[in-house]
């Protein structure tokens, strides 16, 4: 396991923790939301976090909207990737554990974790040396690889098409990796177990379900796994995760409101799907600002 993989894993928020189920009428293309202040409008697409590798979807609606836009608004970006990589390396040792990780787990979680790692071909001891919550991230990464799944493909495609059309890119804000790193370092044994349990639980839906959710998204159905007690236990133990979500939702909605207030030509925005649609997410923030939100629609 390389240190660059640690950086990519720790800068992500656990995929299943911020979920919701919201179904729209199925269509032939992904769903959109239209936000307006009565004069100007911005179209938002929510990007699913996990899709099959080399995932294909109908981009015609996206390309049509990009053609009449001047900018692509995206979610918060790292403040300084080089500096944050250095921060990971400085704290690398504190993310590890001198005790074999599996031996520290409660019997039920130990059995569940072992079953999950065995299902993706990883032997006992593969994740030893990491604190349990960090091992959960590694397990998630290895799960995606084992089942030919990948994170971030839709976001990457949207940004690539926007760049090809010469659009400028406007990040809604910044992400500070130190908060997440410090959260991993300060979690007690109970919190470590709670977040590992959330990772195992979120993966237990299985690869077929994750692929089906991606296919449904491509047809206009907006669906992600619901949050439950196991996920909430991790959020309660690790408030930095919830704070990161709240900050991202606020930054995203503020960027949309600012673009509308400037009277800029039609813009397109791409945000993380759960951050967009869950209660207290971007859409709720936009409505609270008095903006008109309609959708999901093709």
């Amino acid at each position: 396991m390389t240190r660059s993989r640690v950086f990519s894993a720790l800068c992500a928020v656990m995929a299943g923790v911020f979920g919701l189920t919201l179904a729209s009428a199925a269509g032939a293309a992904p769903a959109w939301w239209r936000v307006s202040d009565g004069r100007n409008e911005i179209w938002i697409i929510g990007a699913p976090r996990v899709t099959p590798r080399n995932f294909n979807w109908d981009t015609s609606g996206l390309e049509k909207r990009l053609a009449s836009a001047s900018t692509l608004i995206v979610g918060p970006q790292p403040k300084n990737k080089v500096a944050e990589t250095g921060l990971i390396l400085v704290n690398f040792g504190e993310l590890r554990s001198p005790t074999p990780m599996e031996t520290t787990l409660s019997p039920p979680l130990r059995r569940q974790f072992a079953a999950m790692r065995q299902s993706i071909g990883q032997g006992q001891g593969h994740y030893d040396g990491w604190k349990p919550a960090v091992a959960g991230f590694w397990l998630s990464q290895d799960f995606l690889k084992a089942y030919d799944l990948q994170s971030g493909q839709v976001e990457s495609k949207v940004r690539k098409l926007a760049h090809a059309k010469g659009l400028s890119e406007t990040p809604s804000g910044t992400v500070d990796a130190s908060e997440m790193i410090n959260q991993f370092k300060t979690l007690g044994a109970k919190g470590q177990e709670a977040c590992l349990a959330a990772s195992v639980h979120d993966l237990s839906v299985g690869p077929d379900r994750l692929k089906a959710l991606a296919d449904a998204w491509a047809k206009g159905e907006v669906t992600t796994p619901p949050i439950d007690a196991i996920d909430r236990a991790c959020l309660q133990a690790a408030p930095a995760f919830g704070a990161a979500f709240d900050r991202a939702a606020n930054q995203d909605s503020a960027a949309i409101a600012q673009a509308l207030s400037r009277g800029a030509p039609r813009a397109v925005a791409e945000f993380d799907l759960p951050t967009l649609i869950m209660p207290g997410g971007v859409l709720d923030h936009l409505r609270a600002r008095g903006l008109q939100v309609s959708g999901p629609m093709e």
Side-chain angles (χ1 to χ4, degrees), residues 10 41 46 59 71 88 96 102 176 213 223 275 292:
L10 296 186
E41 66 178 11
T59 62
T71 189
I88 293 288
R96 300 188 68 90
E102 285 192 52
D176 185 355
L213 289 172
T223 309
T275 307
Q292 302 166 19

Side-chain angles (χ1 to χ4, degrees), residues 70 79-80 197 200:
S70 61
K79 287 182 179 179
N80 185 321
V200 173

Side-chain angles (χ1 to χ4, degrees), residues 10-264:
L10 296 186
C11 288
V13 177
M14 289 194 313
V17 167
F18 303 126
L20 177 74
T21 298
L22 174 66
S24 65
W32 289 81
W33 284 263
R34 177 182 178 273
V35 183
S36 172
D37 61 0
R39 297 168 299 163
N40 303 299
E41 66 178 11
I42 292 177
W43 288 92
I44 304 176
I45 187 170
R49 288 173 177 164
V50 175
T51 57
R53 191 175 298 276
N54 300 320
F55 183 61
N56 291 316
W57 49 282
D58 183 358
T59 62
S60 59
L62 169 64
E63 295 184 73
K64 180 179 178 181
R65 289 177 173 95
L66 290 175
S68 59
S70 61
T71 189
L72 172 68
I73 301 172
V74 297
Q77 302 297 304
K79 287 182 179 179
N80 185 321
K81 291 184 179 180
V82 174
E84 293 193 358
T85 301
L87 183 65
I88 293 288
L89 299 182
V90 168
N91 291 275
F92 189 75
E94 294 184 68
L95 300 174
R96 300 188 68 90
S97 171
T99 306
M101 191 272 300
E102 285 192 52
T103 66
T104 69
L105 303 178
S106 62
L109 180 56
R110 190 185 311 156
R111 288 192 296 271
Q112 294 164 9
F113 179 81
M116 183 59 68
R117 66 163 172 74
Q118 288 168 5
S119 74
I120 58 173
Q122 299 295 355
Q124 186 173 7
H126 182 73
Y127 301 97
D128 282 350
W130 296 108
K131 292 185 176 181
V134 180
F137 276 104
W138 287 127
L139 180 70
S140 299
Q141 296 293 310
D142 291 339
F143 179 94
L144 296 183
K145 184 178 180 180
Y147 291 111
D148 214 23
L149 295 162
Q150 190 171 338
S151 62
Q153 284 191 104
V154 171
E155 176 189 5
S156 178
K157 183 69 172 180
V158 173
R159 295 174 75 175
K160 182 177 180 180
L161 289 173
H163 295 167
K165 291 184 179 296
L167 271 67
S168 62
E169 188 171 287
T170 304
S172 66
T174 58
V175 176
D176 185 355
S178 65
E179 293 182 4
M180 302 296 286
I181 296 167
N182 289 333
Q183 184 72 92
F184 277 113
K185 288 162 54 179
T186 58
L187 273 178
K190 209 171 167 186
Q192 292 283 345
E193 276 219 7
C195 289
L196 174 58
S199 293
V200 173
H201 172 64
D202 294 333
L203 297 176
S204 68
V205 300
D208 291 343
R209 176 61 175 159
L210 292 174
K211 291 174 182 178
L213 289 172
D215 289 339
W217 172 86
K219 297 174 183 176
E221 297 176 9
V222 185
T223 309
T224 58
I227 193 168
D228 59 20
I230 296 177
D231 293 324
R232 288 192 187 96
C234 176
L235 288 175
Q236 290 169 359
F241 296 158
F245 167 79
D246 291 338
R247 187 162 45 254
N250 185 61
Q251 290 176 330
D252 290 349
S253 61
I256 295 292
Q258 289 169 8
L260 289 171
S261 68
R262 288 195 300 266

